[in-house]
Amino acid sequence: MGSSRFVIMGAGQVGFHLARVLSEAGREVVVIEQDPGRMAKLEDALDVAVVGGNGAYLPVLEQAEVSRAELFLAVSSSDEANMVASLLAKRLGAERTVVRVHIADEVVSHRRTYQQAFGIDLLLSTQLLTTVRILDYLRGHRTMAVEYLAGGKVQLRKFRLDKGARLTRAPLRDLAVPRGALVVGLFRDGELLIPAGDDQAQVGDEALVLASTDVMPRAEEMISGHGQREQLVVIAGAGETGSTVADALQGWNVRVKVLERDRRRARMLADRLPKVEVLHGDATDLAFLRSEGIDRATSFVACTGQDDSNLMASLLAQELEVERVIAMVERVETRRLWKRLGDIEIVSPRALAYERIKDYVDSGYEPAIVSLREGGVFLERELVAASPAAGVTLAEMGRPPGLIVGAVVRGEKVFVPRGSDRLEAGDSVILFAQQDGLEMVQLLFPGREE
Amino acid sequence: MAELADLTAEERIFPGLTGTNASSVLREIAERLSGLEPFGDAESLHARLMEREELCSTGVGRGVAIPHCKINGLQQVLVTVGISESGVDFAATDGKPVHVFLVVVSPSRSPALHLQSLATISRWVKENDPVALLTGSEDPAELHRRLIGLPDHD
């Protein structure tokens, strides 16, 4: 306890950068790495202790003295090993753990279950961070953070409000906030404001928006700086990222084309996403791009899974005068090179993971999108017959100070409740509570945080 | 909305509780209540109160707990006050022992009334110092007077 030792498992790009920043900040850093080449590089370049081996094994963790760790960071390339290592590190006495995985689905749908099972304090997915950032660029806004609730059915997002955001143009009451979405709070000058109908968001605020996953894309239209201008989005590559982005775009009012070199993969995506036009062909072939009318695209996303193909495809898209070009870049060290290419937005999964973890450390280990210290917390509660809120309408509940019932999940249905809506046993409710509302939560919505 | 004073009665003020944990102290209260008109069976009342405690403690801190449940056959919300001079470990939010139990029992058919009563009592607890007010006397009449705000009788 109290010793500021950091144990990092995996000295890939994320692990290496974290090791460097933390050791340069004067922290005691131990890195676990099994690759001899990487071990040598670490020892040469950084002032860190290196333990050879796989962090998913007990003796290796013991050798790294994980029991004295203030933070254990599992950022190796193996999702499974990262999770197992987190579990063991916690058992050995590590104060908190961060686990980086690739796949997004597990983080969206089962975050709490994984976190509980493996003792993970912060679970993040590079794929998820990547798709969120790409969609941000397409939409023209900035998602500061996303949190998934109710098994992924409900989303909570923190957006920065830039110039032109529709949300800033009128008092909330006069804006058509989509049904199923709620502007829960506005961060302004470091204060959290819980807005009433006559409050108005300002440029520079950060808006905390709660919405069902279906409705979030429409809520994002209120945040966007460039509204509905998006007409045709072309995605090069139907891999995990490309298909997740294409899937998310189905909820927006845009045309989507996906280019994929692999015939089988192209067909699979076409079957899965009927509203998306999937073309079989090579995104680095200018003639193909021209023949498919890619020059009419407003945005182009290069995520083929290979940096050199992405580079080529992005350059061609620029040549075809596509307005907005976004490229996924795996190798962080080439980022500066890419910047020379001018107006290409670079999305680097590892850089995003690194930034997210660094934020977590810098924030004093605040995993949530908003904390009590900042003004409030989101809580998820299952209503049972013995819950006093079961059987009561929101109007009957009145407005307990410091407590907002943000969303109700009833079976497959998700809604933002109004006065006449009655809560029922079996519902899952998403609550927003401020310090003075916590006692009401305890009494009216009994349950435990995991 | 009824105030706390309207929901209590001298006959439902139980000083001198001796239970040492949540289950035994709630059993004591349920047993004393079962002698009174609308409550009946102590066993089922105790089970209902415990069912709620198992979701999470009703110990709201500052030495106070607000155990509650709904039962059939009641006409109105009734609040019972139990007092333990030595304090009970009740897993309260602030970890401190609980001395004052404000037990809310409501008719099953009135969930809204139940909820509103809890809100009222929670407010009352915030605005007062229940432990100072309700400890140091073994006399229900005296305690009831203090609760409803009458001057001490001497």
Side-chain angles (χ1 to χ4, degrees):
Chain A
M1 295 292 274
S3 80
S4 66
R5 162 175 290 226
F6 290 78
V7 178
I8 301 173
M9 168 183 168
Q13 301 187 43
V14 178
F16 189 88
H17 281 284
L18 287 166
R20 186 169 62 201
V21 169
L22 290 168
S23 63
E24 282 172 5
R27 313 296 199 115
E28 185 190 348
V29 177
V30 181
V31 182
I32 300 171
E33 172 57 55
Q34 48 185 346
D35 177 75
R38 281 184 174 173
M39 284 172 69
K41 188 180 158 203
L42 274 171
E43 277 165 343
D44 283 351
L46 304 180
D47 182 22
V48 299
V50 181
V51 171
N54 181 343
Y57 293 110
L58 216 44
V60 178
L61 290 171
E62 277 169 347
Q63 202 191 329
E65 288 185 77
V66 85
S67 59
R68 294 204 293 119
E70 172 178 328
L71 183 64
F72 176 71
L73 299 135
V75 293
S76 82
S77 57
S78 161
D79 290 2
E80 295 84 352
N82 288 344
M83 290 202 247
V84 170
S86 163
L87 175 68
L88 294 175
K90 265 284 169 72
R91 288 282 161 85
L92 290 173
E95 243 176 285
R96 45 186 88 74
T97 70
V98 171
V99 169
R100 188 275 305 260
V101 295
H102 295 286
I103 41 170
D105 280 359
E106 302 309 309
V107 177
V108 172
S109 315
H110 309 295
R111 179 174 57 88
R112 277 167 194 254
T113 312
Y114 279 103
Q115 283 190 291
Q116 253 183 314
F118 293 98
I120 303 167
D121 295 280
L122 177 69
L123 175 62
L124 51 101
S125 148
T126 34
Q127 197 198 334
L128 191 60
L129 291 167
T130 305
T131 48
V132 166
R133 182 55 61 87
I134 290 174
L135 290 165
D136 270 3
Y137 280 138
L138 291 174
R139 193 52 123 183
H141 61 50
R142 179 53 68 94
T143 304
M144 310 302 287
V146 198
E147 206 166 293
Y148 299 87
L149 302 160
K153 291 196 190 84
V154 179
Q155 288 184 16
L156 181 63
R157 288 186 184 236
K158 195 200 269 181
F159 296 106
R160 196 182 49 216
L161 298 179
D162 293 325
K163 228 172 144 197
R166 194 151 65 77
L167 194 63
T168 62
R169 291 187 206 155
L172 280 174
R173 152 180 336 103
D174 300 330
L175 290 170
V177 177
R179 186 109 165 81
L182 184 68
V183 180
V184 182
L186 297 169
F187 289 95
R188 185 176 299 162
D189 308 324
E191 298 272 319
L192 180 68
L193 173 82
I194 307 297
D198 44 7
D199 284 317
Q200 183 166 349
Q202 296 172 6
V203 173
D205 287 356
E206 285 179 359
L208 209 50
V209 178
L210 182 74
S212 71
T213 293
D214 299 344
V215 172
M216 189 55 94
R218 269 182 285 137
E220 285 176 69
E221 286 170 10
M222 299 191 308
I223 312 297
S224 169
H226 55 72
Q228 289 285 49
R229 269 169 58 238
E230 211 64 65
Q231 286 135 13
L232 173 62
V233 178
V234 174
I235 300 168
E240 283 173 347
T241 305
S243 49
T244 311
V245 170
D247 189 7
L249 288 174
Q250 287 192 115
W252 298 7
N253 193 15
V254 293
R255 271 182 69 204
V256 182
K257 283 188 185 186
V258 177
L259 316 177
E260 170 57 52
R261 205 155 38 173
D262 182 275
R263 188 180 293 278
R264 202 175 53 91
R265 202 183 243 184
R267 179 153 322 133
M268 267 167 50
L269 187 68
D271 289 345
R272 192 159 76 80
L273 305 178
K275 281 161 75 181
V276 169
E277 191 180 342
V278 185
L279 304 168
H280 172 233
D282 184 354
T284 62
D285 175 351
L286 186 60
F288 169 68
L289 294 179
R290 274 224 173 88
S291 71
E292 293 299 345
I294 304 310
D295 47 346
R296 288 194 299 277
T298 39
S299 294
F300 185 90
V301 184
C303 50
T304 63
Q306 279 174 334
D307 284 3
D308 49 358
S309 302
N310 288 347
L311 172 62
M312 189 65 185
S314 314
L315 289 174
L316 294 178
Q318 277 196 322
E319 181 66 23
L320 292 171
E321 295 184 345
V322 177
E323 210 175 297
R324 190 176 301 111
V325 180
I326 300 158
M328 203 170 133
V329 178
E330 291 289 347
R331 292 175 55 188
V332 183
E333 65 269 24
T334 60
R335 268 216 298 188
R336 204 175 294 160
L337 227 54
W338 279 83
K339 293 238 165 81
R340 289 203 202 153
L341 299 175
D343 257 354
I344 298 178
E345 303 282 8
I346 302 302
V347 179
S348 160
R350 291 185 178 84
L352 292 172
Y354 163 79
E355 283 161 19
R356 179 68 188 90
I357 293 171
K358 183 135 186 326
D359 278 352
Y360 176 62
V361 175
D362 292 346
S363 72
Y365 309 116
E366 188 49 72
I369 199 161
V370 54
S371 64
L372 264 187
R373 193 166 41 80
E374 293 171 295
V377 280
F378 283 87
L379 302 165
E380 207 172 326
R381 286 288 188 272
E382 196 88 33
L383 292 190
V384 295
S387 309
V392 179
T393 68
L394 281 244
E396 287 165 342
M397 195 176 300
R399 284 178 179 273
L403 174 60
I404 296 170
V405 182
V408 178
V409 182
R410 184 171 296 160
E412 286 305 304
K413 222 173 88 186
V414 181
F415 58 98
V416 172
R418 296 175 176 186
S420 59
D421 286 319
R422 191 178 297 281
L423 302 180
E424 296 171 2
D427 289 350
S428 258
V429 294
I430 312 290
L431 305 169
F432 180 71
Q434 297 185 276
Q435 187 69 50
D436 62 338
L438 285 178
E439 190 176 310
M440 280 300 175
V441 174
Q442 183 192 359
L443 287 175
L444 308 187
F445 296 90
R448 287 188 175 86
E449 274 317 283
E450 291 147 15
Chain B
M1 187 60 232
E3 293 301 315
L4 174 62
D6 308 326
L7 305 173
T8 55
E10 189 182 317
E11 59 170 7
R12 289 194 308 280
I13 296 195
F14 304 147
L17 296 177
T18 58
T20 53
N21 59 39
S23 180
S24 62
V25 79
L26 291 179
R27 183 174 302 281
E28 225 177 326
I29 292 170
E31 274 166 7
R32 292 215 211 168
L33 276 175
S34 68
L36 298 175
E37 191 40 55
F39 289 97
D41 179 18
E43 206 46 55
S44 78
L45 181 57
H46 175 255
R48 280 295 167 82
L49 290 170
M50 283 308 292
E51 185 190 352
R52 169 62 187 85
E53 292 305 319
E54 275 151 24
L55 296 173
C56 78
S57 168
T58 60
V60 294
R62 295 165 59 235
V64 181
I66 311 176
H68 54 267
C69 67
K70 289 171 275 189
I71 60 171
N72 289 324
L74 222 56
Q75 294 305 313
Q76 52 178 318
V77 178
L78 296 175
V79 174
T80 301
V81 183
I83 297 137
S84 161
E85 294 290 334
S86 52
V88 180
D89 177 7
F90 211 73
T93 46
D94 60 0
K96 297 198 174 127
V98 170
H99 294 275
V100 173
F101 297 85
L102 300 167
V103 184
V104 183
V105 185
S106 309
S108 290
R109 300 196 317 199
S110 314
L113 217 51
H114 182 56
L115 181 143
Q116 287 154 2
S117 306
L118 290 172
T120 303
I121 289 165
S122 154
R123 260 196 305 279
W124 182 87
V125 169
K126 271 188 187 154
E127 288 160 7
N128 292 278
D129 184 350
V131 175
L133 187 73
L134 297 170
T135 52
S137 168
E138 292 288 307
D139 176 15
E142 155 74 18
L143 289 166
H144 189 241
R145 273 196 298 274
R146 290 192 200 170
L147 189 61
I148 60 179
L150 294 184
D152 279 6
H153 184 77
D154 48 24

